[in-house]
Amino acid sequence: MKWLSALLAGLALLAVTDEGKAVQGRRPQSVVIGVVKDGPYDRYTDILEIFRKEVVDLLSGDFEADLPSAKRIEADWTLAGIEAAIDSLFADPEVDMVITLGPISSHLVSHRTDLPKPVVAPIVIDRAVQGLPHSEGGSGVHNLNYVALPDREDLPVFLEIVSFERVAILANASFVEALPQVVRRAVDLAAEIGLEAEVIPVSSPMDDALFQQLDRFEAVYVLPLTQVTEAEFQRLVQALIDRRLPSFSWMGQREVNEGILAGRTPIEFPERLARRAALNIQRILLGEEASTLPVAFSARDRLTINMATARAIGVYPRWKVVTEALLIEDQERPMARVLSLSGAVEEAVIANLDLAVQDRVVAAGAQDIKLATADLLPQIGLSVDGSVIDEDRAAASFGSNPERLFTGTAALTQVIYAEPVWANRSIQKSVQEARTYDRRSVEIDISFDAAVTYLNVLRGKTFERIQKENLQVTRTNLELAQVREWVGAASAGEVYRWEAQIAGNRQAVINASAQRNLAEIELNRLLNRPLEEYFDTREAQIEDPSLLSGRGRLYSYMDNQWSFRVFRQFMAQEALQHSPVLKVVESLTKAQARALSSTKRSFWQPTIVLEAGVTDIFSKSGAGSTPGFGVELPGGIEVPGIDDFVWSVGVNISYPLFVGGSRVAERNQASEDLARLNVERDALAQRVEQRVRSALHEMGASGANIDLSRDAAEASRNNFNLVSDSYARGAVSIIDLIDAQNAALISEEQAANAVYDFLIDLMKVERAVGRFSFFMTDQQREAFFQRADAFFQQAGGPPIER
């Protein structure tokens, strides 16, 4: 046989030497591999190309392998036709090996006991039901290697998604005819879990009678329908959706993407199966007996659910299902908005309700200045007065108090000098300045909260993804344990242990999802959005240009012990200059100093007020309305007449001589309050500096942890891969694998945490300093680094290296 000749030639080939010194490599040997297909595939036409690529790529280092089109025989879906195709390749002297690329051809060739050439049959649906030979993990038949797909548990998983009792199983008509035992086994498995199943053969083209039959069922299980066209399959999918029938695909994610409700087979399944077949081919060509190669295969299933289909048919999977599943079309509508770290902070500053309250406080406080200023401006008042008195009294008043009188008065008051009034105006300006800085302090707190909450959303998403991936790893380990039990290398206890591990991993996924949801709700609150409004995120990067770390220059100040100490001094200086909490106390101190000076001046400064007024009598009537003026009194005295218009102007100067000692008490109280504010400012400055220095130490540690945690995560992953391979071979125990998996999980979480911890610590530094780089222009950021460079030059020491 050509394959054996090639192998012997390869072993006997000696390198050509140049005078016994230079050794040249051997030349790859040619290998021709024939392919049998059950029949023409109207769907999944890429399967053959996937197998061809895997085989050619894997063997390229040792052999010139080829699957020429002339050696690919496409049968007619009949048993006789497939048998004839297999015989023709066995009889072809140019063919070295055979691949049966179909469930029927794999079944037929695996039942032969005399195989003239090595055969790899990669699609065996149910080894036990099909009655295939098996010995010590291999086929036990010379030249035969098949790949036995694991037992399918699709229907129990299907029931976890939606409840039903009657299920239709759709299968190729040729498959139903050729492998009736496999079909019967599917019906029996359904009956074992309380389902009434019926197999419906599907031919091409589909007729309306097929769709009418579906009305008798509550759910549909779809086996690979390779004989129907893509258009017909889409018609089937739409018919299932229109009838609100839940569907489950044996082919899994590929068909879920096309509209089937759910499936467990991952989209990379054909590639993995082809790779397994290619590895077996390579081992055969390198001299191993095909009958001894293992036939068990782990599919690494992962549940996939099309949520758009689920919504269309009114199915909503439970949490225990969703936590493990890959969800397609998860959102009911496209995301209304996409948030970045800087975008979230900027939106919070614009929309946050707590900050809006502070805006109102500042706006209301501005009126206190106007109120204080109003006391220094002229005070003008108008008044009118109407009165009626008894006739006798009016008549006796000699016209000074008529019976009915209506008058109008205008009064003007202008403070010429009043120390308390002038002091109040200055004090209110300083208090308003404090309110503005207090509002700035709240803005910084809101910015910090928004940034940290956004990072916690990213952290929650990352942890949820890691937990889901860990759950999938556990699912793979369960499948390995099932394979090991199947070949007799492990007990059922290992399978149960992994099933318990899956339950715990599902809980971890649910908890991670809940934490992500909590962070998203909190972020929506900070942004004054509907609390459960959907939004998408952009991953935050340390190199983000909106961050101080984005320019790469920040790390140069933290490169060694000396530069880091100087940088902490510089940042403390920046904080003392920019911290709004210090500005608040400084403004209140200025107000209190003015209040103290006012109390001191009150001992010797008077209050001077200008007063003026006019009064006019609009009307008078009744008794006494005619003035009795101009009459002579006894002794020849004549009372002069008075007209109806009266005016006056005057200046009032007041100075309290003694007010019970209150001025002394007010002065002493103002002095003590000022002293308190000065001490409070010093204590606050100390706390601000402490926060900056502490935050910088935390940021330095978290920055150093990033590379270390990534290295640890990579080492843990490599260790887990080695232990996992050893477990698959039976070289280590289940406890070793669980420990390695947990170590890899913890390391992966720590690696993700390191980046978020660094960014949060950076936010702490900027909060302590009193300004965020999100709101700085490029020129302001550059000015910051220039100030830092100048500070380092003044401090002396080695130059900063970048």
Side-chain angles (χ1 to χ4, degrees):
M1 293 181 292
K2 293 181 64 176
W3 71 272
L4 183 58
S5 300
L7 178 61
L8 293 176
L11 295 174
L13 186 63
L14 297 176
V16 179
T17 61
D18 180 12
E19 296 181 349
K21 297 179 181 180
V23 179
Q24 298 180 358
R26 70 179 185 182
R27 179 180 179 182
Q29 302 301 302
S30 175
V31 176
V32 176
I33 301 175
V35 178
V36 175
K37 293 174 60 179
D38 292 352
Y41 285 0
D42 291 310
R43 302 181 67 235
Y44 302 120
T45 56
D46 61 329
I47 297 295
L48 177 58
E49 177 58 25
I50 291 173
F51 272 79
R52 189 202 67 79
K53 185 176 185 303
E54 287 291 340
V55 171
V56 171
D57 289 350
L58 183 63
L59 300 182
S60 60
D62 299 299
F63 305 94
E64 290 182 352
D66 191 17
L67 286 71
S69 57
K71 308 303 179 184
R72 304 174 194 170
I73 301 180
E74 196 172 79
D76 57 1
W77 295 109
T78 66
L79 296 177
I82 296 172
E83 292 278 17
I86 296 173
D87 290 337
S88 67
L89 289 179
F90 281 159
D92 190 337
E94 297 181 356
V95 174
D96 301 311
M97 296 186 68
V98 175
I99 298 178
T100 54
L101 203 57
I104 302 175
S105 55
S106 294
H107 172 80
L108 293 176
V109 79
S110 297
H111 277 279
R112 295 194 179 194
T113 58
D114 184 15
L115 299 175
K117 298 177 181 179
V119 175
V120 174
I123 309 178
V124 170
I125 304 299
D126 192 318
R127 179 194 64 81
V129 172
Q130 293 176 235
L132 269 58
H134 183 257
S135 176
E136 297 181 355
S139 68
V141 176
H142 176 62
N143 275 343
L144 174 63
N145 170 255
Y146 59 84
V147 178
L149 302 182
D151 293 339
R152 306 296 296 190
E153 297 181 357
D154 289 346
L155 290 178
V157 175
F158 197 4
L159 281 173
E160 288 186 355
I161 300 173
V162 59
S163 297
F164 56 89
E165 294 181 357
R166 297 186 306 278
V167 58
I169 301 177
L170 304 185
N172 283 338
S174 59
F175 180 83
V176 174
E177 181 181 355
L179 299 173
Q181 67 273 39
V182 176
V183 176
R184 286 195 301 271
R185 177 57 178 161
V187 175
D188 293 341
L189 288 174
E192 290 176 4
I193 56 176
L195 297 178
E196 179 184 341
E198 180 179 333
V199 177
I200 300 179
V202 178
S203 301
S204 182
M206 294 182 181
D207 53 20
D208 293 335
L210 170 66
F211 301 119
Q212 292 172 1
Q213 291 185 69
L214 297 178
D215 295 331
R216 298 186 290 108
F217 300 96
E218 299 171 340
V220 175
Y221 181 47
V222 183
L223 294 176
L225 302 178
T226 53
Q227 292 178 254
V228 303
T229 65
E230 290 291 347
E232 289 176 321
F233 187 78
Q234 284 301 319
R235 184 182 170 205
L236 171 64
V237 170
Q238 191 59 50
L240 296 175
I241 294 175
D242 292 342
R243 288 168 170 77
R244 299 174 68 86
L245 281 173
S247 54
F248 201 99
S249 167
W250 189 97
M251 285 299 297
Q253 186 178 347
R254 280 194 169 199
E255 294 184 348
V256 173
N257 290 338
E258 298 180 60
I260 294 294
L261 173 63
R264 296 177 64 228
T265 305
I267 198 167
E268 66 273 9
F269 171 75
E271 286 81 1
R272 291 191 60 249
L273 186 61
R275 193 170 301 119
R276 172 63 177 275
L279 286 170
N280 288 352
I281 291 172
Q282 182 187 49
R283 294 173 68 177
I284 293 171
L285 290 176
L286 291 176
E288 292 190 55
E289 167 55 46
S291 63
T292 63
L293 299 181
V295 299
F297 179 73
S298 174
R300 298 184 183 178
D301 290 340
R302 181 180 185 181
L303 179 62
T304 305
I305 302 175
N306 189 315
M307 295 304 294
T309 300
R311 290 189 294 270
I313 65 176
V315 170
Y316 297 94
R318 290 174 291 180
W319 284 115
K320 63 176 294 187
V321 175
V322 171
T323 53
E324 191 175 354
L326 172 65
L327 304 181
I328 307 297
E329 300 289 341
D330 189 16
Q331 303 299 338
E332 294 187 21
R333 61 180 182 276
M335 292 295 182
R337 56 194 174 117
V338 178
L339 285 176
S340 63
L341 176 58
S342 59
V345 174
E346 291 168 0
E347 186 174 335
V349 169
I350 295 173
N352 182 264
L353 291 180
D354 293 333
L355 199 54
V357 171
Q358 292 300 313
D359 289 336
R360 302 284 74 76
V361 170
V362 172
Q367 305 309 309
D368 288 341
I369 299 177
K370 293 182 179 180
L371 290 173
T373 303
D375 293 336
L376 297 173
L377 300 178
Q379 310 293 312
I380 301 175
L382 295 175
S383 65
V384 293
D385 183 39
S387 64
V388 178
I389 62 176
D390 61 274
E391 183 178 357
D392 294 341
R393 186 154 53 94
S397 69
F398 298 101
S400 63
N401 198 5
E403 183 179 356
R404 290 178 291 277
L405 180 65
F406 183 59
T407 63
T409 301
L412 168 68
T413 301
Q414 172 63 59
V415 174
I416 296 176
Y417 182 81
E419 168 57 25
V421 177
W422 284 99
N424 184 47
R425 185 171 182 272
S426 297
I427 290 171
Q428 292 303 325
K429 284 184 176 180
S430 297
V431 171
Q432 179 63 7
E433 188 178 72
R435 291 192 189 98
T436 302
Y437 285 123
D438 191 47
R439 189 262 180 206
R440 173 63 179 158
S441 179
V442 173
E443 178 182 312
I444 288 176
D445 289 342
I446 295 298
S447 300
F448 175 79
D449 290 343
V452 171
T453 305
Y454 182 88
L455 292 171
N456 283 335
V457 170
L458 296 182
R459 191 201 304 266
K461 285 187 171 183
T462 301
F463 278 16
E464 185 177 11
R465 174 186 57 78
I466 291 174
Q467 291 294 347
K468 284 185 175 181
E469 290 174 352
N470 184 60
L471 175 58
Q472 188 59 34
V473 169
T474 304
R475 176 67 66 181
T476 300
N477 291 336
L478 171 61
E479 293 174 0
L480 286 175
Q482 290 171 337
V483 171
R484 282 162 52 85
E485 181 190 19
W486 185 60
V487 299
S491 67
E494 287 194 18
V495 175
Y496 296 144
R497 179 64 181 86
W498 286 117
E499 289 176 346
Q501 187 78 5
I502 284 178
N505 291 161
R506 280 181 168 179
Q507 292 177 345
V509 172
I510 291 175
N511 292 334
S513 177
Q515 292 303 314
R516 172 185 55 80
N517 288 330
L518 292 176
E520 290 175 343
I521 290 174
E522 173 65 10
L523 185 58
N524 275 329
R525 184 194 68 80
L526 290 169
L527 304 187
N528 191 25
R529 292 277 191 167
L531 293 183
E532 296 204 31
E533 181 179 88
Y534 292 118
F535 62 86
D536 201 359
T537 55
R538 291 179 184 156
E539 188 62 38
Q541 302 292 336
I542 297 176
E543 299 80 12
D544 188 338
S546 66
L547 301 175
L548 288 179
S549 61
R551 301 196 172 201
R553 298 170 65 176
L554 186 65
Y555 302 104
S556 60
Y557 303 120
M558 305 164 61
D559 187 53
N560 57 70
Q561 184 178 9
W562 178 85
S563 62
F564 192 28
R565 183 175 65 253
V566 175
F567 184 61
R568 293 195 301 273
Q569 295 171 354
F570 167 72
M571 293 297 284
Q573 174 182 285
E574 289 281 300
L576 295 177
Q577 293 177 356
H578 298 289
S579 175
V581 292
L582 284 177
K583 300 292 185 182
V584 170
V585 177
E586 290 170 357
S587 297
L588 293 177
T589 301
K590 185 165 57 175
Q592 189 60 40
R594 184 65 181 88
L596 176 60
S597 67
S598 179
T599 58
K600 290 179 178 179
R601 292 175 184 177
S602 67
F603 284 94
W604 55 271
Q605 289 184 344
T607 299
I608 305 173
V609 180
L610 171 67
E611 297 177 345
V614 295
T615 302
D616 189 19
I617 299 175
F618 297 145
S619 70
K620 54 186 177 179
S621 61
S625 59
T626 301
F629 308 130
V631 297
E632 291 187 4
L633 297 176
I637 300 174
E638 183 177 357
V639 179
I642 301 176
D643 60 20
D644 294 339
F645 185 79
V646 181
W647 63 271
S648 65
V649 176
V651 175
N652 178 271
I653 301 177
S654 63
Y655 178 80
L657 293 177
F658 182 72
V659 288
S662 63
R663 285 181 294 178
V664 175
E666 289 173 352
R667 181 196 61 190
N668 293 340
Q669 184 182 54
S671 178
E672 290 300 326
D673 284 341
L674 180 60
R676 172 184 59 81
L677 286 172
N678 285 326
V679 174
E680 187 175 319
R681 195 272 177 197
D682 292 341
L684 188 58
Q686 194 176 63
R687 286 196 294 270
V688 167
E689 185 174 352
Q690 178 261 330
R691 288 194 196 104
V692 172
R693 292 177 181 273
S694 298
L696 281 168
H697 276 294
E698 290 177 351
M699 187 183 75
S702 58
N705 285 338
I706 293 176
D707 290 337
L708 296 176
S709 60
R710 286 174 176 171
D711 292 342
E714 182 178 1
S716 295
R717 283 194 300 270
N718 292 337
N719 176 66
F720 171 70
N721 291 334
L722 291 175
V723 175
S724 180
D725 290 341
S726 299
Y727 174 75
R729 298 193 306 270
V732 300
S733 69
I734 183 175
I735 300 301
D736 294 327
L737 182 56
I738 290 177
D739 289 342
Q741 181 179 342
N742 289 336
L745 172 64
I746 293 172
S747 297
E748 190 74 18
E749 290 180 340
Q750 290 175 343
N753 253 333
V755 175
Y756 298 126
D757 286 345
F758 172 80
L759 291 174
I760 289 175
D761 289 340
L762 177 60
M763 297 300 103
K764 289 180 181 178
V765 170
E766 296 194 356
R767 181 195 195 186
V769 171
R771 60 191 305 182
F772 279 94
S773 57
F774 302 117
F775 307 109
M776 297 168 64
T777 63
D778 289 340
Q779 292 77 12
Q780 289 173 326
R781 294 189 188 97
E782 181 61 28
F784 167 83
F785 287 113
Q786 289 178 358
R787 291 196 303 273
D789 291 342
F791 190 89
F792 270 76
Q793 290 178 0
Q794 293 177 359
I800 298 298
E801 297 183 2
R802 295 190 175 90

Short mmCIF file of all heavy atoms in Angstrom, two decimals, residues 532-563:
data_model
loop_
_atom_site.label_atom_id
_atom_site.label_comp_id
_atom_site.label_asym_id
_atom_site.label_seq_id
_atom_site.Cartn_x
_atom_site.Cartn_y
_atom_site.Cartn_z
N GLU A 532 -33.43 51.31 34.98
CA GLU A 532 -33.09 50.06 34.29
C GLU A 532 -33.01 50.26 32.78
O GLU A 532 -33.25 49.33 32.01
CB GLU A 532 -34.10 48.97 34.66
CG GLU A 532 -34.07 48.62 36.14
CD GLU A 532 -34.58 47.22 36.43
OE1 GLU A 532 -34.42 46.34 35.57
OE2 GLU A 532 -35.13 47.02 37.51
N GLU A 533 -32.65 51.46 32.37
CA GLU A 533 -32.47 51.71 30.94
C GLU A 533 -31.21 51.00 30.45
O GLU A 533 -30.17 51.00 31.10
CB GLU A 533 -32.35 53.22 30.69
CG GLU A 533 -32.18 53.59 29.22
CD GLU A 533 -32.09 55.09 29.03
OE1 GLU A 533 -30.96 55.62 29.11
OE2 GLU A 533 -33.13 55.73 28.85
N TYR A 534 -31.31 50.38 29.27
CA TYR A 534 -30.18 49.66 28.70
C TYR A 534 -29.12 50.65 28.21
O TYR A 534 -29.44 51.74 27.72
CB TYR A 534 -30.62 48.80 27.52
CG TYR A 534 -31.49 47.62 27.91
CD1 TYR A 534 -32.79 47.51 27.43
CD2 TYR A 534 -31.00 46.63 28.75
CE1 TYR A 534 -33.60 46.44 27.79
CE2 TYR A 534 -31.79 45.55 29.11
CZ TYR A 534 -33.08 45.46 28.63
OH TYR A 534 -33.87 44.40 28.98
N PHE A 535 -27.88 50.27 28.36
CA PHE A 535 -26.78 51.02 27.75
C PHE A 535 -25.62 50.07 27.53
O PHE A 535 -25.49 49.05 28.21
CB PHE A 535 -26.35 52.21 28.61
CG PHE A 535 -25.82 51.85 29.97
CD1 PHE A 535 -24.49 51.52 30.17
CD2 PHE A 535 -26.68 51.83 31.08
CE1 PHE A 535 -24.02 51.17 31.42
CE2 PHE A 535 -26.20 51.48 32.34
CZ PHE A 535 -24.87 51.16 32.50
N ASP A 536 -24.81 50.41 26.55
CA ASP A 536 -23.61 49.63 26.27
C ASP A 536 -22.41 50.39 26.79
O ASP A 536 -22.48 51.60 27.04
CB ASP A 536 -23.49 49.36 24.78
CG ASP A 536 -22.60 48.15 24.49
OD1 ASP A 536 -22.08 47.56 25.45
OD2 ASP A 536 -22.41 47.81 23.31
N THR A 537 -21.30 49.72 26.95
CA THR A 537 -20.10 50.34 27.52
C THR A 537 -18.91 50.14 26.60
O THR A 537 -18.88 49.23 25.77
CB THR A 537 -19.78 49.73 28.89
OG1 THR A 537 -19.67 48.31 28.76
CG2 THR A 537 -20.86 50.07 29.90
N ARG A 538 -17.95 51.01 26.78
CA ARG A 538 -16.65 50.85 26.12
C ARG A 538 -15.62 50.52 27.20
O ARG A 538 -15.60 51.16 28.24
CB ARG A 538 -16.25 52.13 25.40
CG ARG A 538 -17.11 52.43 24.17
CD ARG A 538 -16.67 53.73 23.52
NE ARG A 538 -17.54 54.08 22.41
CZ ARG A 538 -17.71 55.31 21.96
NH1 ARG A 538 -17.07 56.31 22.54
NH2 ARG A 538 -18.52 55.56 20.95
N GLU A 539 -14.79 49.56 26.91
CA GLU A 539 -13.80 49.14 27.89
C GLU A 539 -12.85 50.30 28.19
O GLU A 539 -12.36 50.96 27.28
CB GLU A 539 -13.01 47.93 27.37
CG GLU A 539 -12.10 47.32 28.39
CD GLU A 539 -12.86 46.76 29.59
OE1 GLU A 539 -13.96 46.19 29.39
OE2 GLU A 539 -12.36 46.91 30.71
N ALA A 540 -12.64 50.56 29.46
CA ALA A 540 -11.73 51.62 29.88
C ALA A 540 -10.29 51.14 29.75
O ALA A 540 -9.96 50.02 30.15
CB ALA A 540 -12.02 52.04 31.31
N GLN A 541 -9.45 51.99 29.19
CA GLN A 541 -8.05 51.65 28.98
C GLN A 541 -7.17 52.59 29.78
O GLN A 541 -7.47 53.79 29.90
CB GLN A 541 -7.69 51.75 27.49
CG GLN A 541 -8.52 50.86 26.58
CD GLN A 541 -8.25 49.39 26.79
OE1 GLN A 541 -7.17 49.01 27.27
NE2 GLN A 541 -9.21 48.55 26.43
N ILE A 542 -6.10 52.07 30.32
CA ILE A 542 -5.15 52.90 31.05
C ILE A 542 -4.57 53.96 30.12
O ILE A 542 -4.24 55.07 30.54
CB ILE A 542 -4.04 52.03 31.66
CG1 ILE A 542 -4.64 51.07 32.69
CG2 ILE A 542 -2.96 52.88 32.31
CD1 ILE A 542 -3.65 50.10 33.27
N GLU A 543 -4.48 53.63 28.84
CA GLU A 543 -3.90 54.54 27.86
C GLU A 543 -4.91 55.56 27.33
O GLU A 543 -4.62 56.29 26.37
CB GLU A 543 -3.32 53.75 26.68
CG GLU A 543 -2.20 52.79 27.06
CD GLU A 543 -2.74 51.49 27.66
OE1 GLU A 543 -3.96 51.26 27.57
OE2 GLU A 543 -1.93 50.72 28.22
N ASP A 544 -6.09 55.65 27.91
CA ASP A 544 -7.11 56.60 27.47
C ASP A 544 -6.54 58.02 27.53
O ASP A 544 -6.07 58.47 28.58
CB ASP A 544 -8.34 56.49 28.39
CG ASP A 544 -9.52 57.31 27.88
OD1 ASP A 544 -9.31 58.26 27.11
OD2 ASP A 544 -10.67 57.00 28.27
N PRO A 545 -6.54 58.76 26.41
CA PRO A 545 -5.96 60.11 26.41
C PRO A 545 -6.66 61.09 27.33
O PRO A 545 -6.11 62.14 27.67
CB PRO A 545 -6.06 60.54 24.94
CG PRO A 545 -7.12 59.67 24.35
CD PRO A 545 -7.05 58.37 25.09
N SER A 546 -7.90 60.79 27.75
CA SER A 546 -8.60 61.68 28.67
C SER A 546 -8.13 61.51 30.10
O SER A 546 -8.51 62.28 30.98
CB SER A 546 -10.12 61.44 28.60
OG SER A 546 -10.45 60.16 29.08
N LEU A 547 -7.27 60.50 30.35
CA LEU A 547 -6.72 60.27 31.68
C LEU A 547 -5.27 60.75 31.74
O LEU A 547 -4.57 60.79 30.73
CB LEU A 547 -6.77 58.78 32.03
CG LEU A 547 -8.15 58.12 32.02
CD1 LEU A 547 -8.01 56.62 32.26
CD2 LEU A 547 -9.06 58.74 33.06
N LEU A 548 -4.83 61.10 32.95
CA LEU A 548 -3.44 61.51 33.10
C LEU A 548 -2.49 60.37 32.77
O LEU A 548 -1.37 60.59 32.33
CB LEU A 548 -3.20 61.98 34.54
CG LEU A 548 -3.81 63.34 34.92
CD1 LEU A 548 -3.51 63.65 36.37
CD2 LEU A 548 -3.31 64.45 34.01
N SER A 549 -2.96 59.13 32.99
CA SER A 549 -2.12 57.98 32.67
C SER A 549 -2.03 57.72 31.18
O SER A 549 -1.19 56.93 30.74
CB SER A 549 -2.69 56.72 33.37
OG SER A 549 -4.01 56.46 32.90
N GLY A 550 -2.88 58.38 30.40
CA GLY A 550 -2.94 58.09 28.97
C GLY A 550 -1.74 58.55 28.20
O GLY A 550 -1.50 58.08 27.09
N ARG A 551 -0.97 59.47 28.73
CA ARG A 551 0.18 59.98 27.99
C ARG A 551 1.47 59.24 28.28
O ARG A 551 2.48 59.52 27.68
CB ARG A 551 0.36 61.47 28.31
CG ARG A 551 -0.88 62.30 27.95
CD ARG A 551 -0.58 63.76 27.90
NE ARG A 551 -1.72 64.51 27.36
CZ ARG A 551 -1.61 65.72 26.84
NH1 ARG A 551 -0.44 66.30 26.75
NH2 ARG A 551 -2.68 66.36 26.40
N GLY A 552 1.41 58.33 29.23
CA GLY A 552 2.61 57.55 29.53
C GLY A 552 3.62 58.28 30.38
O GLY A 552 4.57 57.67 30.89
N ARG A 553 3.46 59.59 30.55
CA ARG A 553 4.44 60.37 31.32
C ARG A 553 4.24 60.20 32.81
O ARG A 553 5.16 60.43 33.60
CB ARG A 553 4.33 61.85 30.94
CG ARG A 553 4.64 62.12 29.48
CD ARG A 553 4.29 63.55 29.06
NE ARG A 553 5.10 64.55 29.74
CZ ARG A 553 5.03 65.85 29.48
NH1 ARG A 553 4.19 66.28 28.54
NH2 ARG A 553 5.77 66.71 30.13
N LEU A 554 3.04 59.81 33.23
CA LEU A 554 2.75 59.69 34.65
C LEU A 554 3.66 58.66 35.32
O LEU A 554 4.12 58.86 36.44
CB LEU A 554 1.28 59.31 34.85
CG LEU A 554 0.76 59.29 36.28
CD1 LEU A 554 0.78 60.69 36.88
CD2 LEU A 554 -0.65 58.73 36.33
N TYR A 555 3.93 57.56 34.62
CA TYR A 555 4.70 56.47 35.23
C TYR A 555 6.16 56.87 35.46
O TYR A 555 6.82 56.32 36.34
CB TYR A 555 4.64 55.23 34.35
CG TYR A 555 3.23 54.76 34.09
CD1 TYR A 555 2.62 54.99 32.88
CD2 TYR A 555 2.51 54.10 35.09
CE1 TYR A 555 1.32 54.58 32.65
CE2 TYR A 555 1.21 53.68 34.87
CZ TYR A 555 0.63 53.92 33.63
OH TYR A 555 -0.66 53.52 33.41
N SER A 556 6.66 57.83 34.67
CA SER A 556 8.06 58.24 34.84
C SER A 556 8.29 58.91 36.19
O SER A 556 9.41 58.90 36.71
CB SER A 556 8.47 59.18 33.71
OG SER A 556 7.66 60.36 33.71
N TYR A 557 7.24 59.51 36.76
CA TYR A 557 7.37 60.13 38.07
C TYR A 557 7.30 59.12 39.21
O TYR A 557 7.51 59.47 40.36
CB TYR A 557 6.27 61.19 38.28
CG TYR A 557 6.24 62.27 37.23
CD1 TYR A 557 5.13 62.46 36.44
CD2 TYR A 557 7.34 63.11 37.03
CE1 TYR A 557 5.08 63.45 35.48
CE2 TYR A 557 7.31 64.11 36.07
CZ TYR A 557 6.17 64.27 35.29
OH TYR A 557 6.15 65.25 34.34
N MET A 558 6.96 57.88 38.88
CA MET A 558 6.79 56.85 39.91
C MET A 558 7.77 55.70 39.70
O MET A 558 7.58 54.60 40.23
CB MET A 558 5.35 56.31 39.86
CG MET A 558 4.30 57.42 39.98
SD MET A 558 2.63 56.89 39.48
CE MET A 558 2.33 55.60 40.66
N ASP A 559 8.81 55.95 38.94
CA ASP A 559 9.70 54.89 38.49
C ASP A 559 10.63 54.39 39.59
O ASP A 559 11.08 53.25 39.56
CB ASP A 559 10.51 55.39 37.29
CG ASP A 559 11.33 54.28 36.66
OD1 ASP A 559 10.73 53.24 36.35
OD2 ASP A 559 12.55 54.44 36.51
N ASN A 560 10.94 55.24 40.56
CA ASN A 560 11.83 54.83 41.64
C ASN A 560 11.42 55.53 42.92
O ASN A 560 10.53 56.39 42.93
CB ASN A 560 13.30 55.14 41.29
CG ASN A 560 13.51 56.62 40.99
OD1 ASN A 560 13.44 57.45 41.89
ND2 ASN A 560 13.77 56.93 39.73
N GLN A 561 12.07 55.16 44.00
CA GLN A 561 11.67 55.64 45.31
C GLN A 561 11.82 57.15 45.43
O GLN A 561 10.95 57.84 45.98
CB GLN A 561 12.51 54.94 46.39
CG GLN A 561 12.12 55.28 47.81
CD GLN A 561 12.94 54.51 48.82
OE1 GLN A 561 13.91 53.86 48.46
NE2 GLN A 561 12.56 54.58 50.08
N TRP A 562 12.92 57.70 44.89
CA TRP A 562 13.15 59.15 45.02
C TRP A 562 12.12 59.93 44.21
O TRP A 562 11.50 60.87 44.72
CB TRP A 562 14.56 59.49 44.51
CG TRP A 562 14.82 60.98 44.58
CD1 TRP A 562 15.26 61.69 45.65
CD2 TRP A 562 14.61 61.92 43.52
NE1 TRP A 562 15.35 63.02 45.34
CE2 TRP A 562 14.96 63.20 44.04
CE3 TRP A 562 14.18 61.82 42.21
CZ2 TRP A 562 14.88 64.35 43.26
CZ3 TRP A 562 14.10 62.97 41.44
CH2 TRP A 562 14.44 64.21 41.96
N SER A 563 11.93 59.57 42.94
CA SER A 563 11.01 60.33 42.10
C SER A 563 9.57 60.20 42.60
O SER A 563 8.79 61.17 42.54
CB SER A 563 11.11 59.86 40.64
OG SER A 563 10.74 58.50 40.52
#
